Amino acid sequence: MKILFYAAKTYDQKSFDGVLPRFPGIEIEYIEEELGPRTALMAENVDAVCAFVSADVGAATLDVLAQRGVRTILMRCAGYNNVDTQKAKELGIAVKIVPGYSPEAVAELAIALALAANRRLYKAYNKVRENDFSLKNLRGVNLFGKTAGIVGTGKIGAAMSRICRGFGMKVIAYDVYENPSLKDFVEYVSLDELLGRSDLISLHCPLLDSTYHMIDIEAIKKMKDGVIFVNTSRGALVKTDDLIEGIRLGKFLGVGLDVYEEETGNVFNDRSDEIMEHSVTARLLSFPNVIITSHQGFYTMEALEAIAETTLQNMMDAAKGERTGNDVA
């Protein structure tokens, strides 16, 4: 069984090669190119392709893969909104994901972003490096005793809820499906109530038609003044122009983003020599209370190993024709 591994980074190869001996019969070819309609032509004499959330797995790409005889797409991530799952079903291509590689990895980054935005750690670090030990513009607030609003209480949202509880915060949550494991300390409320009561709001829900741009200017206006806002889930959950408007209105104490709508061209790429004068990224970074990271929620040793192991197990299941809870097409 041969897998063509798109957009391979050094850490991908290291983590996948580390678990590969546990899966005899699987061979992996790593390439740097991202999966899309043109690069799909490279998938010759392979049983599956492996792609990330930044790939273009739309109808055009799927048509090419089907013509090449590819019958399995292994997404090494939880998100699959970049995959035309209906087209995949029509073509008989199985699509498998990694739904829960390490919830704590993402949740820990979410709280790190909240803390960094709150206490302006990025500004403090740069000031001290320049021998400026003043405290100007570094004041934050205590999280202890405040209210954390968790939007989405699946595995990652649940992990974030427990972290916030450990900080001594009151935790409220909104989800279509309530998580029974959290009922002893989480109060479920409507989204509007969560927006109005929370001092910290953290998004942990999937990107669906129903959640697309769920945070727009109307939602932002319902939030408390001085709220800390964090998104480590999906960029398109937030209408970026409205977020920028909210920042300009002084709505937020701090904003921490590991994902945002314009990230596709930036993720994992070094663009330090480029000028992005019309970029949403540049506009966001122009604000002193915003911190952005490069989609690194998954980037821990434990998470990478779990991603590799689950992805290769998905390949084994696909070879046997077995469908599991990891199938989305």
Side-chain angles (χ1 to χ4, degrees):
M1 295 173 287
K2 186 172 181 179
I3 301 171
L4 182 60
F5 195 111
Y6 282 89
K9 306 295 184 184
T10 302
Y11 57 78
D12 288 318
Q13 187 165 349
K14 184 176 181 180
S15 59
F16 272 78
D17 284 351
V19 302
L20 192 58
R22 306 176 204 167
F23 299 89
I26 294 181
E27 177 186 352
I28 303 175
E29 179 184 352
Y30 300 96
I31 61 174
E32 295 182 0
E33 289 78 6
E34 182 64 274
L35 177 60
R38 293 189 177 183
T39 56
L41 291 166
M42 303 171 71
E44 294 189 77
N45 301 316
V46 299
D47 301 288
V49 297
C50 184
F52 194 60
V53 70
S54 52
D56 175 0
V57 199
T61 300
L62 291 166
D63 279 331
V64 177
L65 292 176
Q67 293 166 12
R68 286 289 187 269
V70 174
R71 287 292 171 263
T72 303
I73 296 174
L74 304 168
M75 299 300 297
R76 56 184 187 274
C77 51
Y80 58 93
N81 53 284
N82 57 325
V83 183
D84 189 334
T85 54
Q86 185 58 45
K87 181 68 172 181
K89 291 175 184 177
E90 294 171 6
L91 294 171
I93 298 177
V95 179
K96 294 176 178 287
I97 64 171
V98 182
Y101 41 88
S102 176
E104 292 75 21
V106 182
E108 288 172 11
L109 180 65
I111 198 66
L113 286 170
L115 291 168
N118 175 26
R119 303 302 293 269
R120 304 290 196 269
L121 297 184
Y122 46 95
K123 292 176 68 69
Y125 174 77
N126 288 323
K127 281 163 61 72
V128 170
R129 281 179 61 87
E130 296 178 4
N131 295 327
D132 178 358
F133 301 97
S134 68
L135 299 181
K136 183 180 179 181
N137 299 323
L138 299 182
R139 186 179 64 188
V141 298
N142 286 4
L143 293 185
F144 179 83
K146 299 296 195 301
T147 298
I150 310 300
V151 182
T153 53
K155 293 180 179 179
I156 298 173
M160 182 62 170
S161 297
R162 296 186 181 100
I163 290 173
C164 291
R165 185 194 189 194
F167 272 76
M169 303 185 77
K170 177 179 177 57
V171 183
I172 61 176
Y174 167 75
D175 201 320
V176 176
Y177 304 101
E178 298 184 3
N179 188 333
S181 70
L182 303 177
K183 289 295 187 71
D184 59 330
F185 70 94
V186 171
E187 175 190 357
Y188 278 91
V189 299
S190 68
L191 180 58
D192 281 353
E193 184 175 348
L194 181 145
L195 295 174
R197 289 176 54 188
S198 301
D199 301 291
L200 163 64
I201 297 174
S202 191
L203 303 185
H204 299 285
C205 50
L207 178 59
L208 308 169
D209 289 342
S210 58
T211 59
Y212 177 75
H213 283 178
M214 67 186 301
I215 303 300
D216 57 13
I217 192 60
E218 295 306 316
I220 290 169
K221 287 179 178 177
K222 294 173 184 176
M223 297 178 187
K224 283 184 175 182
D225 291 340
V227 66
I228 299 170
F229 178 75
V230 174
N231 186 12
T232 55
S233 189
R234 293 289 175 267
L237 295 173
V238 181
K239 189 173 182 180
T240 308
D241 286 341
D242 287 7
L243 177 64
I244 290 171
E245 182 181 349
I247 295 169
R248 285 178 171 153
L249 291 172
K251 195 70 177 178
F252 303 98
L253 173 65
V255 174
L257 305 174
D258 190 45
V259 294
Y260 51 98
E261 287 187 292
E262 196 192 61
E263 70 173 343
T264 300
N266 299 338
V267 170
F268 313 142
N269 293 317
D270 181 356
R271 303 186 64 186
S272 56
D273 287 333
E274 299 180 34
I275 297 174
M276 300 187 289
E277 56 187 26
H278 300 300
S279 164
V280 169
T281 311
R283 290 167 66 196
L284 286 169
L285 288 173
S286 70
F287 298 110
N289 59 338
V290 175
I291 178 172
I292 298 178
T293 49
S294 187
H295 206 119
Q296 66 187 70
F298 73 99
Y299 198 46
T300 67
M301 292 176 58
E302 294 83 358
L304 288 171
E305 181 177 354
I307 289 169
E309 186 160 0
T310 302
T311 301
L312 295 184
Q313 184 58 55
N314 283 344
M315 181 72 254
M316 298 293 286
D317 294 337
K320 299 173 185 175
E322 296 180 0
R323 294 185 63 83
T324 69
N326 297 347
D327 287 87
V328 295

